[in-house]
Amino acid sequence: MPVYNAAAVVGEAVESILNQTFGDFEFIIVDDGSTDDSGRILREYARRDDRIKLYTQENGGLIPSLNRCCRIAQGRYIARMDADDISLPTRFEKQFRFLEAHAEIGVLGTWIQDIDEHGTPRTAWPVPTDPAVIRWFLMFGNCIAHASVMMRREVLERAGYYRADALHVEDYDLWIRVSEFTGVANFPEVLLYYRLSGESVSGRNRLLQDQHTLEVRRRFLGDVTELYRGYTKKVMLTPEARAEIALDVMRRLWLEKKYFEAFRFLPKVVSWRAIKKTLSVGTWVIQSRGQISR
């Protein structure tokens, strides 16, 4: 967990990790040159709980702090956490059990829920869960909440950690690279509270990507119907995943005002469960002002 000037909220974040139902972990924290009271707060927690490994450095930014944390880590799995968010008590336990049971998955995020500055729950974000569907969405934007992720250390090492030149998109860049050789999934339950504040809103914008970048990507990818045909030929899909992606294509075409083409995909949508899931993701897209997956 990198920390920079988070004195007002870092205690709650630390306690949410220390109170996990799965307690066999080392908690690596890098204080990235904080100038507020964060350092004192972290030192007090480290004194009280020997699972905390606290490191202090001059301010170097998020990516160097992340890579330092990950290189220090000794465990088989690495879980991410931000200094202003809250992990629910069963987060580590559920992610650990899932990864132990699914060797094909290398990165596992979760659904998240916004909270305001007072900790009041707001919008929940039911992001895609199926690895094949996530790979589809990753072609258009980020659908993995960075702070919710638990990943295999060997996957991160093989990818070469976070790239220094992927400024503000270090997580999205990593998901794209690792998805070439391992599965990326989301656990279908809210296990992290994402705190909304002035700084975290800018973080949300980085998560969702710049609108101009998405427009360039969309032009590069070309026609979404042709992309769908190529993807479904290349990737083995369950009927539900195929229906979920088809419904997403319908939504994209509709947003582009290609109504006739959109309706042509209707017969491909055969799973009501997939409809509900994709519509919930569509709600996420709309609430995010269309900056993701468009």
Side-chain angles (χ1 to χ4, degrees), residues 11 47 65 79 85 91 95 103-104 111 136 138 140 158 194 196 201 209 218 223 249 290-292:
R47 185 186 64 82
S65 298
D85 295 336
R91 176 193 160 190
Q95 288 183 294
E104 75 281 6
W111 289 356
W136 168 265
L138 284 175
F140 301 90
R158 178 175 173 182
Y194 182 94
L196 296 176
V201 169
Q209 303 297 302
R218 181 160 52 187
D223 183 72
V249 173
Q291 296 186 74
I292 186 169

Side-chain angles (χ1 to χ4, degrees), residues 99-116:
L99 289 169
E100 287 285 286
H102 297 86
E104 75 281 6
I105 302 300
V107 175
L108 180 65
T110 76
W111 289 356
I112 64 173
Q113 185 168 14
D114 289 343
I115 57 173
D116 64 20

Side-chain angles (χ1 to χ4, degrees), residues 5-18:
N5 289 351
V9 292
V10 70
E12 194 171 7
V14 169
E15 289 185 11
S16 77
I17 298 300
L18 298 180

Side-chain angles (χ1 to χ4, degrees), residues 39 41 69 91 163 193 287:
I41 295 170
C69 287
R91 176 193 160 190
R163 290 196 305 119
Y193 288 151
Q287 291 168 334

Side-chain angles (χ1 to χ4, degrees), residues 112-184:
I112 64 173
Q113 185 168 14
D114 289 343
I115 57 173
D116 64 20
E117 294 181 352
H118 306 291
T120 304
R122 299 299 184 186
T123 305
W125 303 97
V127 287
T129 58
D130 186 290
V133 177
I134 287 173
R135 285 197 69 182
W136 168 265
F137 273 87
L138 284 175
M139 290 190 286
F140 301 90
N142 197 350
C143 57
I144 308 292
H146 193 192
S148 76
V149 160
M150 182 179 286
M151 51 189 156
R152 300 181 191 275
R153 189 179 65 176
E154 63 189 39
V155 166
L156 190 58
E157 290 173 344
R158 178 175 173 182
Y161 299 94
Y162 296 90
R163 290 196 305 119
D165 58 351
L167 189 62
H168 303 320
V169 291
E170 66 283 339
D171 54 335
Y172 183 44
D173 171 79
L174 181 62
W175 314 149
I176 292 292
R177 289 186 289 123
V178 302
S179 67
E180 294 298 317
F181 61 85
T182 190
V184 180

